[in-house]
Amino acid sequence: MPAGYKHGDTPAKAMVRGTISYLESQGLPVNKSAIFRHFELSRSQGYAALSASPKPKREDPEWGETRGRPSKISDSDQQKMEEILWDDKFEDVSLNWNGLAKAAGLEMNCNRRTLHRTLGTLAYRRCLACGRTHTHKRHREKRCDYARKALMAYPLLEDWRRMRFSAELHFAFGLDGKMRLTPRAGEKLCSSCAQQPGLDWPRDIRRLHAWVAVGHGFKSELVFYDSSTSPKDSGTMSMADYCDKVLDKVVKPWLTAGGPGSFILEEDADVFAHGSASKVNLAQQWKDTHGLRCTFSCGESPDLSPLDSLVWPAGKQWTSAVLTDWQDETLRRAAREAWAGVGQDKIDMWVDVMPQRLQQVVESEGRMVAW
Ligand SMILES: [Zn+2]
């Protein structure tokens, strides 16, 4: 039995439930027989699927929450803190997690880690639907500093054309059969967009994780580094896997082909496996041994990575492709097709405006660049 759904369950049964729950949530008429027929289930199979309907999310480990473990913080408290994170009045206030809870008027009875896990990041918010952004003071300072240094280290367009921007992509597959990319920590829906129907993110039923790199005139294959497609798996790569499955198997041949000076690998500073947290580690050793030129991204800045901005459909969701099953090979095919749809011309254009983007970050005192 594939991980992610119940014993005796099938994607069709899960989709029947998903379809009915969607129609009900929208107040639309529900014709059960027609829905069973559409998914090629008999009446008894259909009703069996419904009676197997999920227990409340939090008691059912098979279904899990979309992201992370169940929170110890109530929904209304979360909302109060989320509002602060979107509030321009607080953009210039230096808040930490405790300060945030206090500003939201909450008793501080949960620890930093819990707040972090629940709210993702304090650094910024970007609405996946309308693009509204809010960048926190301390993060703006960090971004300004990064942009200035990057412009000094790589002042020429040619420097950026040598850059290969890398990232892990986390594809998520919903009960509705659609595919999405898991948003970054600060990418959410703002309060007005959250009220619009159809924009919310349903629970993931499967996930697929791939490493990629892009640059001017360059686009790697998807490197699937995690054999698990469980919805509980966040796709966090280990450093050993990064060294073995990515640096050794994929990046090394590029070095052999073009020579050590032919490109600079840009790595996501927020991912532990890349080795940004310390000077001495396996990943850094690998880079030294093989003469890999690399640089870390600013971190928590989707506007400064082509793999977070521009190249994806709106809201990081594909509306056209609907999967009929969740077999590993089907998931991989869907991800490969989506990746094939990312045009090189778009990437090239993005790379060529990178110096201007950084300049804009400096001029706007660290604010997020719109796209
Ligand atoms: Zn919005």
Side-chain angles (χ1 to χ4, degrees):
M1 180 184 77
Y5 40 90
K6 283 183 238 276
H7 183 71
D9 213 342
T10 64
K13 285 182 182 175
M15 289 226 232
V16 162
R17 288 203 299 275
T19 306
I20 291 175
S21 105
Y22 171 73
L23 293 172
E24 283 172 349
S25 75
Q26 301 301 306
L28 296 167
V30 176
N31 180 341
K32 287 181 184 159
S33 313
I35 293 167
F36 298 160
R37 268 201 308 279
H38 178 78
F39 289 102
E40 297 175 343
L41 296 178
S42 69
R43 267 179 74 80
S44 62
Q45 282 172 324
Y47 280 106
L50 294 185
S51 64
S53 69
K55 289 169 244 164
K57 284 183 218 170
R58 285 178 189 180
E59 293 163 30
D60 187 345
E62 276 291 312
W63 290 86
E65 288 284 270
T66 308
R67 279 173 288 277
R69 274 166 278 177
S71 171
K72 288 176 196 149
I73 305 165
S74 75
D75 286 353
S76 75
D77 284 356
Q78 267 187 57
Q79 210 179 330
K80 280 180 203 151
M81 287 188 281
E82 199 60 46
E83 271 164 30
I84 303 263
L85 292 176
W86 285 99
D87 189 338
D88 292 342
K89 282 204 300 290
F90 286 92
E91 232 178 358
D92 288 326
V93 180
S94 235
L95 287 177
N96 56 20
W97 290 111
N98 279 317
L100 171 68
K102 222 172 145 192
L106 311 186
E107 292 288 325
M108 243 333 275
N109 53 6
C110 39
N111 65 28
R112 245 187 92 250
R113 280 177 59 92
T114 309
L115 286 169
H116 191 196
R117 200 171 61 220
T118 309
L119 293 160
T121 176
L122 268 176
Y124 75 99
R125 284 292 181 270
R126 182 177 189 276
C127 178
L128 278 165
C130 70
R132 200 184 130 200
T133 61
H134 175 112
T135 320
H136 193 255
K137 183 170 183 263
R138 214 174 305 151
H139 193 49
R140 289 208 308 274
E141 290 164 1
K142 177 185 159 187
R143 284 166 47 83
C144 253
D145 191 45
Y146 171 89
R148 280 204 194 92
K149 284 182 182 152
L151 282 170
M152 264 195 299
Y154 309 109
L156 307 172
L157 185 60
E158 280 315 306
D159 298 325
W160 293 99
R161 287 191 173 176
R162 258 203 304 276
M163 200 71 77
R164 293 186 181 175
F165 300 84
S166 67
E168 286 80 39
L169 303 177
H170 307 289
F171 294 91
F173 301 84
L175 267 179
D176 53 7
K178 288 187 185 162
M179 184 172 73
R180 313 161 177 87
L181 279 177
T182 301
R184 295 293 193 140
E187 293 181 309
K188 313 252 173 185
L189 290 174
C190 72
S191 53
S192 50
C193 290
Q195 284 160 17
Q196 287 174 42
L199 289 177
D200 59 329
W201 186 279
R203 274 172 293 148
D204 301 339
I205 190 160
R206 304 296 289 276
R207 287 180 184 167
L208 183 65
H209 312 282
W211 180 92
V212 288
V214 293
H216 196 271
F218 180 85
K219 188 178 161 200
S220 79
E221 298 290 317
L222 294 174
V223 180
F224 299 111
Y225 61 84
D226 193 337
S227 56
S228 160
T229 57
S230 158
K232 284 175 280 183
D233 194 337
S234 64
T236 306
M237 189 160 30
S238 71
M239 197 178 275
D241 270 0
Y242 184 57
C243 290
D244 177 35
K245 296 179 183 173
V246 174
L247 294 177
D248 227 48
K249 289 215 172 59
V250 183
V251 176
K252 203 166 134 190
W254 300 346
L255 285 169
T256 314
S262 58
F263 68 94
I264 305 157
L265 186 68
E266 201 221 44
E267 300 167 286
D268 187 338
D270 296 330
V271 175
F272 175 80
H274 302 159
S276 67
S278 63
K279 294 240 181 299
V280 183
N281 55 59
L282 272 181
Q284 296 290 6
Q285 268 166 24
W286 193 101
K287 295 170 203 175
D288 291 343
T289 309
H290 296 88
L292 173 66
R293 289 184 69 192
C294 49
T295 181
F296 287 112
S297 72
C298 177
E300 304 209 282
S301 296
D303 57 332
L304 298 179
S305 168
L307 293 161
D308 276 319
S309 53
L310 194 77
V311 299
W312 307 118
K316 293 188 168 177
Q317 307 200 22
W318 285 266
T319 45
S320 52
V322 176
L323 273 61
T324 49
D325 68 76
W326 293 294
Q327 300 298 318
D328 287 359
E329 204 29 61
T330 311
L331 308 182
R332 286 181 181 215
R333 198 185 321 124
R336 282 198 192 98
E337 275 168 21
W339 186 235
V342 174
Q344 188 65 52
D345 50 339
K346 236 179 172 180
I347 299 170
D348 291 354
M349 235 160 56
W350 194 99
V351 170
D352 281 355
V353 295
M354 190 60 181
Q356 281 113 288
R357 277 178 171 253
L358 291 167
Q359 197 55 47
Q360 241 177 300
V361 170
V362 174
E363 280 162 16
S364 71
E365 296 176 328
R367 290 199 163 67
M368 201 76 68
V369 181
W371 72 88

